[in-house]
Amino acid sequence: MTVTTPDPVPDPPLTAREELAAAQERLVRALVAGDEPPPGFDPARIAVAARALLNKRAGEVARAWPRLAAAHGARWPAAFADWAAGTPSRGAWLDGWGFARSRRAHLPPAAAAELAGCEAHWSYRPDGPPRRRRVAVGRLPGGVIVQVLGRAVVVRPRRSQLPR
Amino acid sequence: MSGVVAPPVDLGVGIGWRPDIAGFVAGLPGLRFTEVIAESVHAAHPADELLALRDRGTRIIPHGVRLSLGGAEPVTVDRVSHLAECAELLDAPLVSEHIAFVRAGGIEAGHLLPVPRTRAALDVLTDNIRRTCAELPVPLAVEPIATLFDWPDQDYDEAGFLTEVLARTDALLLLDVANVYANARNRGEDPLDLLDSLPLERVAYVHVAGGSERDGLYHDTHTDPVPNEVLALVSELCARRDPPGLLLERDGRYPPAGELRAELDAIADAAGLPHVT
């Protein structure tokens, strides 16, 4: 006896492992990507946990970008969290770099120099790993940074010679 | 498998090794064991201070934080190999990891997340622990985490879930009394209930850490002093069964050395052990 199956063929049921994978992904998205908490979770607690994860990220970024964090003083965790909320981490280095790029015009000299030092060696890409630069010239407070084949030099003209 | 018992060793009181406090750790005269975050160890270029501790006979336990034993994806060969490499390099008596997952669908959570206490998650966790143990040259101890929230619709309570994990595998238990305290407080439960239900003969060592209250919940921060309630739990645990060792975890906002020494002494006093400071 033949049985005709209706078209389209239904998807096979998810295995227990696949269901768990999907449930874990929904939870992670709620915690770090700004998605709604999955049904059944306490939304208030998920919000507190999401904030705790952002604070932890802020601490890790502060270690990778100490001058950037210092420039914000006690407001650093909140400033970083506001910027990073809803965006999953790309790692402390790239997170800090992305934050610094977003504040480029407002960075105090030490943080601006930290960013310039990074950008003298690496070129930022929003969707992929940074590319190493072979040659770069960048501005930093009071001078320029020149990098050739991995060696960077900061050139600070005397004040009278500063280009306007 | 249920006959597994933690080896009878006497590790005393220790503190987690971190680069920021390497000098403090090296200067503790009575220190017999420490722990290092496995992912921070560069197997080809390990920190000289760590090797010096190893060479003077301090037991060093590599403590992984990113294996994701509770993740739906099988553990990866490179992460397990790194743990094995750390164990060989540091002449470790065991390695430890967490009953947690840290990523899903290619997204990193950035910290340890709780596994749902369901049959499906238990199967996955058991599989991952077995895969890991099969590649390690030393025993694995697994640590239940602190969590700010719980999954809905769970099949087991925490003690039942942990007991089942341990019954199904050869893993030992890394019992974090600060996590026990944090979860009980945030769930409105009595932490002693969990201590009374766990197979304490499987405890390989114990974590102790500080925390603070924020947004109405207790956060296991590792950057605050150890509260008296956690020290009391150390005493309660030792009254039931003396663990092989107790280790203070401090991960930032380091206090002056005197305060850190006092904290180690307080743990030793709570456990009835000699000071290591």
Side-chain angles (χ1 to χ4, degrees), chain A:
Chain A
M1 192 175 104
T2 58
V3 178
T4 53
T5 50
D7 258 352
V9 180
D11 288 335
L14 292 179
T15 64
R17 195 183 269 269
E18 287 165 341
E19 266 179 34
L20 178 64
Q24 289 184 334
E25 183 174 343
R26 283 194 294 273
L27 175 60
V28 172
R29 287 190 170 281
L31 288 168
V32 303
D35 285 14
E36 288 295 310
F41 284 90
D42 179 340
R45 292 227 175 181
I46 294 295
V48 173
R51 196 74 189 177
L53 288 173
L54 284 169
N55 279 333
K56 185 166 186 294
R57 262 173 85 182
E60 286 160 7
V61 171
R63 274 194 284 280
W65 293 83
R67 293 184 176 89
L68 177 67
H72 293 80
R75 291 179 303 104
W76 166 250
F80 177 80
D82 287 347
W83 175 84
T87 314
S89 176
R90 300 175 68 198
W93 183 43
L94 289 180
D95 283 355
W97 195 353
F99 177 86
R101 283 166 49 87
S102 78
R103 306 289 166 99
R104 188 186 297 278
H106 311 286
L107 295 177
E114 189 173 56
L115 176 61
C118 170
E119 293 185 336
H121 291 275
W122 299 94
S123 133
Y124 187 89
R125 292 194 301 158
D127 301 318
R131 284 219 182 86
R132 192 178 275 282
R133 295 179 194 266
R134 278 200 252 173
V135 180
V137 179
R139 296 169 68 89
L140 84 178
V144 292
I145 183 164
V146 180
Q147 184 270 125
V148 180
L149 298 174
R151 298 182 74 99
V153 187
V154 173
V155 183
R156 294 184 198 275
R158 266 176 279 158
R159 188 161 294 276
S160 59
Q161 296 170 338
L162 259 182
R164 300 253 12 166

Side-chain angles (χ1 to χ4, degrees), chain B:
Chain B
M1 299 233 214
S2 51
V4 174
V5 173
V9 288
D10 179 14
L11 298 168
V13 172
I15 180 167
W17 187 90
R18 307 287 185 265
D20 291 357
I21 53 169
F24 174 82
V25 177
L28 290 169
L31 186 76
R32 294 202 296 284
F33 93 117
T34 184
E35 188 185 65
V36 61
I37 302 298
E39 286 79 1
S40 76
V41 176
H42 197 307
H45 306 284
D48 289 339
E49 298 101 318
L50 264 184
L51 299 183
L53 281 172
R54 175 198 67 183
D55 294 341
R56 79 177 206 201
T58 306
R59 312 312 304 268
I60 305 173
I61 301 173
H63 183 56
V65 295
R66 302 192 62 187
L67 186 57
S68 208
L69 280 171
E73 302 94 11
V75 288
T76 61
V77 173
D78 56 332
R79 290 188 191 280
V80 178
S81 311
H82 180 71
L83 281 179
E85 237 180 326
C86 288
E88 302 274 10
L89 175 74
L90 300 171
D91 200 13
L94 69 153
V95 303
S96 56
E97 245 292 351
H98 298 87
I99 296 179
F101 76 105
V102 301
R103 67 185 70 80
I107 305 173
E108 296 286 332
H111 196 48
L112 307 157
L113 298 180
V115 175
R117 296 193 297 265
T118 61
R119 288 176 193 86
L122 182 62
D123 289 343
V124 160
L125 181 61
T126 303
D127 180 56
N128 275 335
I129 290 176
R130 285 183 185 151
R131 283 170 192 262
T132 304
C133 287
E135 302 301 323
L136 289 178
V138 293
L140 171 72
V142 292
E143 175 184 358
I145 64 165
T147 179
L148 294 167
F149 60 87
D150 281 305
W151 287 74
D153 307 323
Q154 307 198 87
D155 300 327
Y156 300 87
D157 65 10
E158 183 150 14
F161 190 76
L162 296 174
T163 303
E164 194 61 32
V165 170
L166 294 172
R168 288 184 182 201
T169 67
D170 291 334
L172 300 172
L173 183 60
L174 164 48
L175 184 62
D176 186 320
V177 290
N179 293 351
V180 172
Y181 170 72
N183 290 342
R185 176 162 159 177
N186 289 336
R187 288 171 186 152
E189 295 172 354
D190 184 347
L192 295 181
D193 291 346
L194 185 61
L195 288 192
D196 284 332
S197 323
L198 289 175
L200 297 182
E201 72 280 3
R202 293 286 280 272
V203 173
Y205 65 110
V206 169
H207 273 170
V208 185
S212 58
E213 179 158 331
R214 217 168 46 232
D215 305 313
L217 291 173
Y218 181 82
H219 293 246
D220 178 55
T221 60
H222 298 191
T223 58
D224 293 282
V226 178
N228 287 333
E229 293 92 330
V230 171
L231 290 173
L233 214 46
V234 167
S235 299
E236 291 284 355
L237 171 69
C238 295
R240 285 159 177 75
R241 187 182 177 101
D242 281 322
L246 299 112
L247 185 129
L248 173 65
E249 292 185 289
R250 182 82 191 205
D251 286 318
R253 285 174 49 195
Y254 296 100
E259 276 178 43
L260 215 44
R261 273 196 292 271
E263 203 150 67
L264 287 170
D265 290 348
I267 294 169
D269 291 342
L273 291 169
H275 292 183
V276 299
T277 55

